[in-house]
Amino acid sequence: MMMKTISSPKDLNVWKEAMNLAKQVYLETKNFPKEEVYGLTSQIRRAAVSVPSNIAEGNGRKHKKEYINFLSIANGSLMELETQLILSQNINYLSKENLELLLKQIEIVSRLLNGLRKSLEKSCSMSQTTKF
């Protein structure tokens, strides 16, 4: 079975979905109170942007182990974002309906991230057992 070559992070579904999530987060946080611009709004946006950014940075690395590390960082940012969004709903900055939509997108990105990470880990372990 021949694998498709990924020449850019823009070719990855996980990157595309993470970008969609970041866009949705920016649109939602526009309605947050102005006094939160340098607080929760900024933290949420940074976490959201960190996800596709770390996917892209990992994709640009030479070694798969580095790539896997950046995917792990992206996953951590995703969990941070989830926590901050739940807090935002708890303090009535975000509606329950909009939180649910964002959480569904987080779940999609998480599933894709884990799939990519497992695929890379499998190919790393296969290449370590193969002698040339």
Side-chain angles (χ1 to χ4, degrees):
M1 181 169 86
M2 196 165 117
M3 291 182 65
K4 188 172 101 173
T5 302
I6 304 295
S7 61
S8 163
K10 294 179 280 193
D11 296 331
L12 296 167
N13 286 335
V14 66
W15 182 85
K16 292 174 190 173
E17 293 295 342
M19 289 292 284
N20 287 336
L21 174 60
K23 179 181 175 182
Q24 290 172 13
V25 163
Y26 263 78
L27 293 173
E28 282 303 320
T29 56
K30 267 196 216 178
N31 302 319
F32 280 24
K34 296 301 170 218
E35 66 267 14
E36 286 294 345
V37 162
Y38 299 108
L40 192 55
T41 302
S42 177
Q43 276 190 282
I44 288 172
R45 287 177 171 185
R46 277 196 314 264
V49 169
S50 176
V51 179
S53 297
N54 277 292
I55 294 166
E57 186 168 353
N59 181 262
R61 296 296 173 136
K62 283 185 173 186
H63 303 288
K64 287 181 185 172
K65 287 186 179 192
E66 288 179 292
Y67 196 176
I68 292 166
N69 186 52
F70 277 95
L71 294 178
S72 177
I73 293 167
N75 193 61
S77 294
L78 199 59
M79 297 302 97
E80 180 183 352
L81 175 61
E82 179 181 54
T83 299
Q84 294 162 349
L85 292 172
I86 292 168
L87 174 62
S88 297
Q89 197 274 320
N90 288 344
I91 57 178
N92 298 315
Y93 289 175
L94 190 60
S95 73
K96 190 167 183 73
E97 297 77 25
N98 289 343
L99 173 64
E100 290 303 318
L101 290 172
L102 291 166
L103 292 178
K104 282 180 184 166
Q105 187 65 22
I106 286 172
E107 187 179 320
I108 290 166
V109 173
S110 178
R111 212 173 41 247
L112 291 169
L113 260 178
N114 287 328
L116 178 56
R117 183 183 46 77
K118 285 178 183 175
S119 173
L120 289 169
E121 286 172 345
K122 185 177 178 182
S123 71
C124 274
S125 66
M126 288 172 63
S127 66
Q128 287 176 351
T129 59
T130 305
K131 303 279 187 213
F132 291 100

